[in-house]
Amino acid sequence: MGRQEQVPNERARNTPEGPGARHVRVAVIGSGFGGIGAAVRLRREGVTDFVVLERADSLGGTWRDNSYPGCACDVPSHLYSFSFARNPDWPRTFSGQEHIRAYLEHVADTFRLRSHIRFGHEVQLMTWDAERLHWRIETSAGDFTADVVVSATGPLSDPKVPDVPGLDGFPGAVFHSARWDHDLDLRGKRVAVVGTGASAIQIVPAIQPEVASLTLFQRTPPWVVPKADRAVTGVERWLHRQLPFTTALRRGLLWGVRELQVQAFTKRPRELALVESVAKAHLARAVKDPALRAALTPSYRIGCKRILLSSDYYPAIARPNVDVVTSGLAEVRGATLVATDGTQAEVDAVVFSTGFHVTDMPIAERVVGADGVTLAEAWQDGVRSLRGATAAGFPNWMTIIGPNTGLGNSSMILMIESQLNYMADYLRQLAILGGRTALDPRPAAVDAWNDRIQERMKRTVWNTGCKSWYLDDAGRNTTLWPGTTSEFRRAVREVDLGEYEVVRAAPATKTAQVTEAPKAGSLGATA
């Protein structure tokens, strides 16, 4: 190991938080890519006084929770990994869930993160203490206080299951794709899959050969293009191990191609016509029945919803034991599922592939800010943040994969690493300011940032009329970033103190006071 392992400096305090509350400099919430990345960056910045609070009994985030048959990434493996932990041994160009989870475990071990992770610690409440300028964190296994909270729970962590009348009376198995029932043997059973998103197009071909029948409830057909997946050869892996720059080169090429694609999504949607023709040809080759082909053909512009990658979804759909119901699930009567168009199907098990709480993240209900309101209440008219990271009224709280940081065509790891740059500079600025200090985003800065984002959204393919999980209830796209990953990296390279109020503890009264921040860029030389 070289040097003695450092562990978080958790100082027990007899404070209003209660005896035994442990204080850390930084509390990271979640141990998926965002949380593990934050932990690595903290250690590399010399910050060892931190914990990673994880509600489950193992790390991995969405790649732990989503273990359904066929689960894999739709971004190439060499791009869907950290730049500081490139993996020369990916087995496939698009690796499966088990390999991605193993990669995260390897990163945690390589960077000695185990001593920082607290498994079985579900965050129940986070409250800002305006007097002590820290966060009080209540978990299912003990309390903490922290100067800074980094929320890395991610938007794909809490499954969304529709409220279907009669579902409680269904006699068979019912579960969400992110909570797969591995004890259930589907062989010979009649199975219904509800939804046609990224999970469903992987589940359907994986289980179709073994089930007696499969009924797919499809409200809206997705655009699907072939997935150029293959095994990475032994020669390729040997080359990447012997010449590490080839791994970096491969990653760079994958990144560059996707950067060039961005303008078609964000500025000139008509340029996606070629991709649409590829998708139509793919459908025509796999599905010969004209009625079924018509049912599987989308009516919206390609790219408005996420373009899905699969070479075996359409062939599976065309098999005799698969039935496509072209309307949503409306009601359950005993073992019979009833669609909105009246179609009925009697099944033994129901799998919901219906997405996640993205624009209404449950964690927001557990965060109470400086004004005593929850983050969910502050976001009741739409999620809003400054540079996808911080929220007005919630000092020293930041999120990884926050509002408008999602991508429609590239790797989220690129966005995560950019946000880690912002997190690192945020901590540097607090250290420079010194003392008990907090940074609270100015509402005007939050408004200006979001106004620019929404103005750019008007030209994107995501605003061409379809209904997707990218949009909130008001029709605003608060999920995606309307630009390149390099643009985002520049935008969050460092903290602009002009966008923040500096909150300091007043020594005489032991209460906080707000002071004017230095002019933007005034700390650039020392930061």
Side-chain angles (χ1 to χ4, degrees):
M1 297 290 291
R3 59 187 177 87
Q4 186 176 359
E5 176 71 4
Q6 292 179 286
V7 298
N9 178 20
E10 299 172 349
R11 305 183 295 275
R13 290 181 172 180
N14 292 320
T15 67
E17 291 81 29
R22 298 180 180 274
H23 184 82
V24 292
R25 175 62 170 160
V26 181
V28 179
I29 317 299
S31 67
F33 266 99
I36 293 299
V40 171
R41 186 57 182 269
L42 287 170
R43 293 208 60 151
R44 296 179 78 179
E45 291 289 322
V47 179
T48 57
D49 183 14
F50 70 91
V51 291
V52 178
L53 302 176
E54 170 56 58
R55 65 184 177 184
D57 59 3
S58 60
L59 61 84
T62 190
W63 295 107
R64 174 199 59 234
D65 296 341
N66 287 271
S67 58
Y68 56 79
C71 183
C73 191
D74 59 1
V75 175
S77 305
H78 289 87
L79 189 58
Y80 196 81
S81 48
F82 292 120
S83 64
F84 54 79
R86 293 189 290 270
N87 179 17
D89 289 312
W90 287 114
R92 302 194 66 82
T93 51
F94 292 87
S95 291
Q97 173 264 345
E98 67 277 16
H99 301 117
I100 298 172
R101 185 178 179 186
Y103 168 78
L104 281 172
E105 296 275 2
H106 175 71
V107 172
D109 291 333
T110 300
F111 291 92
R112 304 192 303 277
L113 304 181
R114 299 284 179 181
S115 62
H116 296 275
I117 304 176
R118 301 294 179 267
F119 294 117
H121 281 64
E122 180 173 8
V123 172
Q124 298 170 329
L125 187 66
M126 291 182 280
T127 306
W128 176 248
D129 188 324
E131 180 179 348
R132 291 169 178 80
L133 296 188
H134 66 210
W135 285 93
R136 303 197 307 268
I137 306 170
E138 300 174 27
T139 83
S140 57
D143 297 342
F144 294 80
T145 60
D147 297 328
V148 177
V149 169
V150 177
S151 179
T153 59
L156 306 181
S157 57
D158 291 284
K160 179 182 289 186
V161 176
D163 185 13
V164 181
L167 184 60
D168 291 344
F170 181 74
V174 178
F175 51 89
H176 190 277
S177 58
R179 301 291 185 268
W180 193 269
D181 184 355
H182 290 281
D183 294 328
L184 178 65
D185 187 356
L186 293 179
R187 287 177 296 183
K189 287 187 170 57
R190 301 165 299 176
V191 180
V193 175
V194 181
T196 53
S199 299
I201 71 159
Q202 295 178 339
I203 293 170
V204 168
I207 68 173
Q208 174 271 320
E210 63 183 34
V211 301
S213 65
L214 194 156
T215 304
L216 179 65
F217 284 81
Q218 170 192 275
R219 287 191 304 178
T220 309
W223 284 107
V224 182
V225 298
K227 187 176 185 179
D229 187 26
R230 63 172 178 82
V232 179
T233 67
V235 172
E236 290 174 281
R237 284 185 275 176
W238 177 86
L239 183 64
H240 292 329
R241 285 194 299 271
Q242 299 302 313
L243 300 173
F245 79 88
T246 62
T247 310
L249 178 61
R250 185 171 188 164
R251 177 187 175 88
L253 290 173
L254 291 168
W255 167 79
V257 169
R258 281 155 182 78
E259 289 289 274
L260 294 174
Q261 295 171 347
V262 169
Q263 65 178 1
F265 290 87
T266 60
K267 296 179 180 179
R268 293 188 283 274
R270 287 186 177 84
E271 292 183 359
L272 292 167
L274 177 60
V275 183
E276 185 171 314
S277 65
V278 170
K280 288 181 176 179
H282 176 47
L283 174 59
R285 284 193 303 269
V287 180
K288 302 304 181 184
D289 179 358
L292 179 58
R293 190 163 61 244
L296 296 174
T297 302
S299 59
Y300 55 89
R301 178 169 290 172
I302 193 168
C304 187
K305 292 175 180 283
R306 188 177 180 95
I307 301 173
L308 305 183
L309 277 61
S310 177
S311 297
D312 51 13
Y313 175 66
Y314 285 146
I317 289 286
R319 299 299 297 171
N321 66 332
V322 178
D323 184 31
V324 178
V325 177
T326 57
S327 61
L329 178 60
E331 182 185 359
V332 178
R333 301 173 189 164
T336 302
L337 275 56
V338 183
T340 54
D341 65 359
T343 302
Q344 298 185 13
E346 189 170 346
V347 300
D348 303 308
V350 181
V351 179
F352 283 98
S353 182
T354 45
F356 299 84
H357 291 276
V358 175
T359 59
D360 57 342
M361 294 182 291
I363 190 68
E365 299 174 358
R366 307 180 186 186
V367 184
V368 182
D371 296 328
V373 301
T374 67
L375 188 60
E377 291 170 334
W379 282 351
Q380 62 183 347
D381 294 325
V383 296
R384 299 166 60 81
S385 70
L386 176 59
R387 301 184 185 272
T390 55
F394 298 83
N396 284 8
W397 183 92
M398 59 178 17
T399 184
I400 305 297
I401 314 184
N404 290 114
T405 61
L407 297 176
N409 76 312
S410 192
S411 172
M412 280 305 303
I413 313 305
L414 300 168
M415 303 296 278
I416 288 172
E417 290 197 40
S418 293
Q419 290 199 288
L420 297 182
N421 290 339
Y422 197 76
M423 177 197 74
D425 194 54
Y426 192 102
L427 293 171
R428 292 189 206 111
Q429 297 299 340
L430 288 177
I432 291 169
L433 291 168
R436 288 162 54 199
T437 309
L439 295 176
D440 191 4
R442 297 180 183 276
V446 177
D447 290 343
W449 174 259
N450 284 274
D451 288 347
R452 291 197 298 271
I453 294 290
Q454 293 306 317
E455 182 63 30
R456 293 182 64 176
M457 279 294 175
K458 294 178 181 179
R459 300 175 59 185
T460 69
V461 69
W462 310 307
N463 278 31
T464 54
C466 72
K467 183 178 180 181
S468 73
W469 59 270
Y470 299 151
L471 311 181
D472 63 15
D473 291 338
R476 291 187 296 265
N477 189 330
T478 57
T479 304
L480 298 182
W481 167 248
T484 64
T485 62
S486 54
E487 281 183 283
F488 185 76
R489 181 172 288 264
R490 289 193 296 271
V492 297
R493 180 177 292 124
E494 59 187 21
V495 171
D496 178 357
L497 285 180
E499 296 180 328
Y500 287 87
E501 292 178 347
V502 178
V503 185
R504 296 183 182 274
T509 62
K510 294 185 179 181
T511 56
Q513 61 181 6
V514 176
T515 62
E516 286 296 317
K519 292 182 180 181
S522 63
L523 295 179
T526 56

